[in-house]
Amino acid sequence: MTKGVFKSSEAETQRQFLTTTIGTPGSGATRYAAAMYFFKIGKLSVEMLEIYRRCSKFDTEDPLDLARYEGVSIPKFVCDLSSSTDA
């Protein structure tokens, strides 16, 4: 169980899906599905969801890189997730 915004095991599972390793076969679609979950619970903007949608067919495309390039605001929880997986 996590603290704060994420209190359910479903949210934790979706957090793991959202950080699926770039380049893993099927990872683009997995990240997009998780992004849809966070969009539906109000934690992800429509602009960021669109970034994940556009990257969903390309397993090697990093949605955070694209968001930064296009000037789309990345939610803090997504930044926190990506920095914790980089360590």
Side-chain angles (χ1 to χ4, degrees):
M1 192 104 42
T2 60
K3 297 178 182 176
V5 174
F6 306 104
K7 296 183 180 183
S8 73
S9 60
E10 178 65 21
E12 182 58 36
T13 299
Q14 295 302 327
R15 286 171 52 134
Q16 292 172 7
F17 289 149
L18 197 64
T19 58
T20 302
T21 304
I22 304 294
T24 301
S27 62
T30 299
R31 285 187 297 275
Y32 178 46
M36 288 176 36
Y37 169 84
F38 288 110
F39 173 75
K40 287 183 85 170
I41 65 169
K43 301 299 176 196
L44 201 67
S45 70
V46 69
E47 294 85 6
M48 195 65 206
L49 179 64
E50 175 63 9
I51 293 288
Y52 279 103
R53 185 198 66 78
R54 289 171 47 202
C55 292
S56 67
K57 292 184 180 183
F58 307 104
D59 297 333
T60 58
E61 185 71 35
D62 185 342
L64 301 184
D65 284 347
L66 182 57
R68 287 182 195 105
Y69 176 78
E70 294 194 358
V72 173
S73 179
I74 302 170
K76 183 179 179 342
F77 86 91
V78 174
C79 292
D80 291 347
L81 291 175
S82 65
S83 65
S84 68
T85 60
D86 291 342

